[in-house]
Amino acid sequence: MEAEKDFLILERAGEDEKTYLNAVTPPIFMNSLHVFDTFEEYHGVDVFKKNEFYYGRASNPTTSIAEEKIAQLEHGTRAVMFSSGMAAASAAILSTCGAGSHIICMIDAYQPVKRFLNEYCIPQLNMQVTFLKGTDLQEMEAAIQENTALIILESPATFVFTVVDLEEISRIARKHNVKTYMDNTYCTPLYQKPLDFGIDIVMHTLTKYLGGHSDVLGGVLVSKDEALMRRIMNQMREWLGGVMGPMESWLVIRGMRTLGVRLKQHQKSAQAVAEFLEKHPKVKKVYYPGLKSHPQHDLICKQQKGSSGLLSLELKGDPEKALQFVDALQLFRKGCSWGGFESLAMVPLYYADEEELEFLGIGRGLIRMHCGLEGTENLINDLQRALDLLEI
């Protein structure tokens, strides 16, 4: 039943066809400002409220429609969209932390977020960061200090798909008055709703599945905490200028209409690919949340309703075999993103230094793959052909 409600949200939430001539899709409001009959009306605008606008850097009607859909999908009270996932992530950090704050961050959280912490927050804002795997709850609680302001999570994390216990981490955080932030891009709101487990702020990179067509950059934050979201919208987004533009917002609306059917196919293909790879004699290990062999299978069943199209694997032999394999693929293109219609393959850590590899606990031959919409059988045939060329 909840899935059916989500499909209606994707199609209709936030839209009022009567206000734009009964058009089946909402218009793109390309204006930079809104005008008023009196100065008093202009002065009284509160952009945090529905259908109140004055300037494009603060908010936009098209963007507002997309935000309403995402807020309802995630069971939040408010969503705020940004021009990129990193704009959203950095806004969440800067809105919950101050100079000298302590942050706990998962080791395999999004790499640019960790660079933002290490290269800006620590040297420029005198913050402290403790990196943890996230699966040991006692270690997590022991790491909390008097000045801990935020716990940064990603579950499943997108290198080896580590899953953390959202409900228990939320309980620990609330006990110590610490905010929690989580990247939910992998599952989308259809397959996981972290706010329901007590997470304070959820982030999505709209570039991935919610956009779905590899034609838009964007990010979004969602929360049940209206005061926090007002601060994020009225300060972090408006002052730093990271608002998503109307054209990009419309593309996200377009993408969300088909999210349910796209995600189902991504999952179907990735599950079949993961099972194929897991049985192949040249494959050392496969990392995919949908596999029963995943070490956190029970927790995944508790928190997630499904898995999406991204997975990782390690081949037998030296790391050079990974490069040979990826270069031999034809349907899987070489590119850094995922979540679009196309299949992708990368060796993301091949050129990483030994210190980073040791920190992550991952070998440089790790292959990350996104299973697109080219057809399950076609993808498996491409993988089989590439594996046949390898001498292992």
Side-chain angles (χ1 to χ4, degrees):
M1 287 295 293
E2 187 173 54
E4 294 298 312
K5 292 179 181 178
D6 284 347
F7 294 155
L8 288 178
I9 292 170
L10 288 167
E11 182 182 345
R12 298 184 182 180
E15 300 185 30
D16 184 358
E17 296 171 358
K18 291 183 174 59
T19 63
Y20 34 83
L21 306 178
N22 293 321
V24 72
T25 57
I28 306 171
F29 287 84
M30 294 299 291
N31 52 300
S32 61
L33 77 157
H34 299 254
V35 294
F36 301 84
D37 292 334
T38 67
F39 175 76
E40 287 74 14
E41 286 180 294
Y42 163 79
H43 186 70
V45 169
D46 181 355
V47 295
F48 195 75
K49 294 180 180 179
K50 188 175 181 180
N51 294 328
E52 292 197 25
F53 310 95
Y54 82 99
Y55 189 57
R57 177 162 46 80
S59 59
N60 174 275
T62 309
T63 303
S64 181
I65 292 170
E67 289 173 338
E68 178 63 25
K69 291 179 186 291
I70 295 169
Q72 290 191 31
L73 284 171
E74 280 286 9
H75 296 169
T77 58
R78 195 64 162 86
V80 176
M81 290 169 61
F82 293 80
S83 55
S84 71
M86 272 308 299
S90 56
I93 294 168
L94 295 175
S95 295
T96 54
C97 303
S101 290
H102 174 245
I103 295 172
I104 296 172
C105 181
M106 277 180 63
I107 285 173
D108 46 1
Y110 187 44
Q111 294 286 85
V113 168
K114 290 186 291 186
R115 287 197 291 270
F116 176 67
L117 295 175
N118 286 326
E119 299 175 25
Y120 182 80
C121 293
I122 292 174
Q124 299 296 326
L125 299 176
N126 197 33
M127 291 185 185
Q128 302 166 279
V129 181
T130 299
F131 291 99
L132 300 176
K133 188 173 181 182
T135 53
D136 186 330
L137 296 175
Q138 290 183 336
E139 181 186 41
M140 177 76 73
E141 186 162 17
I144 295 175
Q145 305 173 11
E146 287 189 7
N147 60 334
T148 303
L150 183 66
I151 297 174
I152 297 176
L153 307 170
E154 184 175 343
S155 183
T158 58
F159 272 151
V160 295
F161 299 91
T162 304
V163 174
V164 297
D165 192 324
L166 304 181
E167 191 168 32
E168 284 302 305
I169 291 176
S170 297
R171 180 189 62 78
I172 291 169
R174 286 195 302 273
K175 177 182 173 182
H176 296 276
N177 197 30
V178 175
K179 294 293 186 185
T180 48
Y181 158 97
M182 183 182 145
D183 186 332
N184 194 35
T185 304
Y186 178 85
C187 280
T188 83
L190 297 188
Y191 288 169
Q192 186 168 248
K193 299 183 189 296
L195 297 181
D196 289 352
F197 292 101
I199 297 297
D200 292 302
I201 308 171
V202 168
M203 192 280 286
H204 290 275
T205 302
L206 300 172
T207 313
K208 309 299 193 293
Y209 288 119
L210 293 181
H213 294 75
S214 299
D215 54 10
V216 60
L217 286 176
V220 64
L221 299 176
V222 196
S223 180
K224 293 183 178 182
D225 187 335
E226 288 202 16
L228 174 59
M229 293 309 292
R230 180 180 283 273
R231 185 160 69 249
I232 287 171
M233 181 177 182
N234 293 353
Q235 294 180 7
M236 288 300 106
R237 189 175 77 173
E238 183 172 358
W239 292 353
L240 298 181
V243 67
M244 174 173 264
M247 184 67 216
E248 291 81 3
S249 299
W250 187 89
L251 288 171
V252 173
I253 293 171
R254 185 274 313 266
M256 284 195 289
R257 293 189 191 280
T258 61
L259 177 62
V261 292
R262 287 188 290 104
L263 201 59
K264 183 178 180 180
Q265 183 59 49
H266 284 299
Q267 178 180 229
K268 178 182 176 182
S269 292
Q271 184 71 37
V273 163
E275 291 174 0
F276 162 77
L277 291 170
E278 193 172 45
K279 296 174 183 176
H280 199 282
K282 295 182 181 180
V283 175
K284 178 181 177 182
K285 188 172 181 58
V286 179
Y287 303 92
Y288 183 65
L291 290 174
K292 292 182 179 180
S293 59
H294 193 289
Q296 296 160 297
H297 178 70
D298 291 343
L299 181 58
I300 290 168
C301 291
K302 173 189 173 184
Q303 294 181 171
Q304 297 176 211
K305 295 178 181 177
S307 297
S308 54
L310 197 67
L311 58 94
S312 295
L313 69 141
E314 292 178 283
L315 297 172
K316 295 176 180 177
D318 56 47
E320 284 65 35
K321 299 297 181 183
L323 290 188
Q324 294 172 24
F325 171 68
V326 167
D327 286 345
L329 293 168
Q330 294 179 352
L331 285 181
F332 287 84
R333 304 176 193 180
K334 292 71 182 171
C336 64
S337 191
W338 49 273
F341 57 87
E342 69 288 329
S343 292
L344 298 167
M346 283 190 70
V347 190
L349 299 172
Y350 185 78
Y351 292 106
D353 57 43
E354 291 299 326
E355 184 179 359
E356 182 178 7
L357 293 171
E358 184 178 353
F359 172 73
L360 292 170
I362 305 172
R364 68 176 65 254
L366 182 83
I367 299 165
R368 194 177 74 176
M369 311 185 73
H370 179 251
C371 297
L373 303 177
E374 297 90 346
T376 305
E377 187 176 341
N378 292 330
L379 296 181
I380 290 176
N381 288 341
D382 192 31
L383 293 166
Q384 181 66 69
R385 187 191 56 77
L387 286 166
D388 288 344
L389 296 174
L390 286 182
E391 295 183 4
I392 297 178

